[in-house]
């Protein structure tokens, strides 16, 4: 199957989107993990639970383990645009944390380029702007250090750090880091949709100043500060859900 051939959208989303949702939040996992990283998120939130959480499942991991890696973020966006298009029939936002922000941005940019519906806002969390990439502390780590990080993340998510599962996760992480390592835009790329740049006040990995590079990407760029550390988003804190919901309500 060629990179440009669209797979059914059911392969790309953890669950089939509900037809009665008022709005949708599409969540992009970051390096080394899959859709299960959002297991602690509710399926719906917001006024009368009308906002549906739709989690993107990437190839090469979890239920798609036997599929080849997506390649680059640009290749991934090409395939995601076709897969997500049927579900962009109501207000929606994109959310990505850390490296997950980059395919979220590239997918939204490609939607705009093709004249398709664009997000009410793209939320990028703890991630520097594309023209400041690559920027990830994992890029210079040894395999042993990466494995230790994966073990810690597994425990944070309430899982068991089984050696064989860690081996699989490490292989996925290294391929994802290869995609991160080659991604960069030479200068800010203006886009026609708003961007919300989220900073976590207890996050030592990315400073507020380092996030300011996003300010030249859109006419409407906000910089909300949320309480918590780098992994606080895993438990879908109320402040985060409120911010995502506000992003859906703010754009006419």
């Amino acid at each position: 199957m060629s990179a440009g051939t669209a797979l059914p959208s059911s392969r790309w989303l953890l669950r089939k989107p509900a037809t009665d949702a008022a709005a949708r939040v599409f969540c992009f996992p970051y390096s080394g993990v899959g859709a299960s990283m959002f297991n602690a998120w509710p399926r719906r939130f917001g006024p009368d639970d009308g906002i549906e959480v739709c989690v993107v499942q990437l190839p090469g991991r979890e239920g798609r383990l036997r599929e080849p890696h997506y390649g680059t973020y640009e290749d991934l966006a090409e395939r995601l645009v076709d897969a997500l298009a049927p579900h962009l029939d109501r207000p929606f936002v994109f959310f990505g944390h850390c490296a997950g922000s980059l395919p979220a941005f590239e997918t939204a940019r490609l939607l705009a380029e093709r004249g398709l519906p664009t997000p009410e806002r793209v939320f990028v969390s703890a991630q520097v702007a594309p023209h400041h990439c690559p920027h990830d502390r994992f890029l210079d780590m040894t395999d042993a250090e990466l494995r230790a990080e994966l073990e810690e993340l597994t425990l944070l998510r309430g899982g068991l750090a089984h050696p064989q599962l860690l081996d699989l996760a490490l292989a996925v992480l290294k391929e994802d880091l290869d995609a991160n390592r080659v991604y960069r835009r030479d200068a800010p790329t203006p886009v026609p949709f708003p961007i919300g740049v989220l900073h976590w006040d207890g996050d030592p990995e990315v400073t507020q100043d380092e996030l300011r590079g996003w300010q030249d990407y859109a006419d409407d760029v906000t910089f909300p500060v949320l309480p918590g550390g780098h992994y606080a988003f895993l438990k879908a804190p109320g402040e985060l859900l409120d911010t995502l919901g506000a992003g859906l309500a703010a754009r006419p």
Side-chain angles (χ1 to χ4, degrees), residues 10-16 35-36 39 54-57 62:
S10 59
R11 300 284 290 278
W12 288 95
L13 295 172
L14 188 62
R15 294 180 293 270
K16 182 179 179 180
S36 67
N39 278 353
C54 298
V55 184
V56 174
Q57 181 64 289
E62 297 183 349

Side-chain angles (χ1 to χ4, degrees), residues 137 164 178 229 245:
R137 67 187 181 90
Q164 288 182 316
D178 285 342

Side-chain angles (χ1 to χ4, degrees), residues 163-183:
Q164 288 182 316
L165 294 179
L166 287 176
D167 289 342
L168 289 173
L170 179 60
V172 172
L173 176 57
K174 291 173 69 173
E175 286 190 294
D176 287 354
L177 290 177
D178 285 342
N180 188 291
R181 193 172 280 110
V182 299
Y183 177 77

